[in-house]
Amino acid sequence: MMQIKRYWSSFVSLLFPPLCISCEHVLLNQEKFLCTSCQFHLPITDHHLYPDNEAFRRLVGKVDIEAAAAYLSFRKSSLVQAMVHKLKYRGIHEIGTYFGRCFGSQLAQSFTFSELDLVVPVPIYHKKRKERGYNQSDYIAEGIAQALSLPLDTKNLIRNVHTESQTGKERLERYENVEAIFTCRAPEAFSGKHILLVDDVLTTGATVASAARTLIEQCGCRVSVAVLALV
């Protein structure tokens, strides 16, 4: 049966070869999602090596977090934007899990992120999740949790208010728009733990700061932040 599956997989690959999610060239056997050239040009930040990085500075003063890091730099009309778009709107979940594992492998080498207990993705409102069918941050968090050998919790932190899109809003409006929109179902489950809060993209940090503040205030835990890309 396993041999038949391998033959079938090889046959399908011949008819529909996997393509690079950036340049759409056919991938070689050892390549995953990105061809070697596009992988080489990924704008990796190396935030895990520098505690006082841009992601951390963007959240300081908004919420009392332990640490923060972004894996990639996000620019309009870039490879990273195309990648995030396919993860978020095209249902290619494997992108999130794969790059989550890549990011998690970096974090595993960082002293700053060495004392984590649990990985928690930033949730989306349940109606939006139903429409889209998934929360993209769940997959990023899953990959990170796998790389760090940590448990993943996607149920306890919930988003109980639907907010308008942040696009086009001024900085102050963004913070007012996401104030007190999260809650924890069972605060005692996170009490005293060091949680890694995971999201896809960090812009002003309003949404992540609101989620982190909820965890700290309701659960009495410590929070660090990891995002796939920093705008």
Side-chain angles (χ1 to χ4, degrees):
M1 181 61 71
M2 290 299 296
Q3 191 172 16
I4 293 173
K5 287 183 178 179
R6 284 197 295 270
Y7 285 147
W8 176 251
S9 178
S10 298
F11 176 70
V12 171
S13 295
L14 286 173
L15 293 179
F16 306 102
L19 303 179
C20 173
I21 60 174
S22 176
C23 66
E24 298 190 346
H25 287 171
V26 175
L27 295 176
L28 301 178
N29 288 336
Q30 73 273 18
E31 295 173 336
K32 186 76 170 177
F33 297 111
L34 292 174
C35 66
T36 301
S37 176
C38 291
Q39 183 80 39
F40 178 78
H41 289 97
L42 268 181
I44 297 174
T45 67
D46 285 335
H47 280 179
H48 66 294
L49 299 175
Y50 309 100
D52 186 23
N53 57 62
E54 178 59 27
F56 182 74
R57 289 194 296 269
R58 201 166 293 186
L59 293 167
V60 166
K62 303 175 180 72
V63 61
D64 187 18
I65 58 169
E66 304 292 318
Y71 183 52
L72 302 166
S73 294
F74 183 106
R75 297 290 182 270
K76 287 186 177 180
S77 303
S78 68
L79 157 62
V80 175
Q81 183 182 38
M83 213 169 68
V84 171
H85 182 86
K86 289 178 180 179
L87 166 63
K88 195 169 182 177
Y89 301 111
R90 299 275 296 276
I92 309 178
H93 311 147
E94 296 88 350
I95 293 174
T97 309
Y98 173 74
F99 286 101
R101 282 197 296 267
C102 294
F103 191 15
S105 296
Q106 277 194 346
L107 298 178
Q109 302 169 30
S110 172
F111 176 78
T112 309
F113 293 89
S114 63
E115 297 181 350
L116 298 166
D117 297 307
L118 187 67
V119 179
V120 176
V122 172
I124 58 177
Y125 190 55
H126 67 91
K127 288 186 178 178
K128 181 179 286 188
R129 185 186 184 109
K130 186 175 181 180
E131 291 170 3
R132 187 177 296 167
Y134 61 96
N135 174 15
Q136 66 280 358
S137 295
D138 286 358
Y139 294 97
I140 302 167
E142 179 183 24
I144 292 175
Q146 289 173 1
L148 295 175
S149 300
L150 289 174
L152 172 69
D153 189 310
T154 63
K155 304 295 184 184
N156 196 14
L157 180 66
I158 61 171
R159 186 166 184 156
N160 51 25
V161 177
H162 176 64
T163 56
E164 300 174 8
S165 171
Q166 296 282 67
T167 305
K169 291 185 179 296
E170 297 294 332
R171 186 174 295 266
L172 180 59
E173 288 180 306
R174 285 175 180 253
Y175 282 93
E176 292 173 343
N177 193 44
V178 296
E179 189 63 29
I181 65 171
F182 298 99
T183 192
C184 280
R185 287 172 166 154
E188 65 281 0
F190 290 166
S191 178
K193 294 184 177 179
H194 186 180
I195 291 173
L196 183 65
L197 184 65
V198 176
D199 207 2
D200 56 348
V201 176
L202 182 70
T203 50
T204 64
T207 302
V208 170
S210 180
R213 200 158 41 244
T214 296
L215 290 170
I216 293 167
E217 293 175 358
Q218 290 189 12
C219 307
C221 59
R222 301 157 59 206
V223 175
S224 289
V225 172
V227 296
L228 182 64
L230 177 75
V231 178

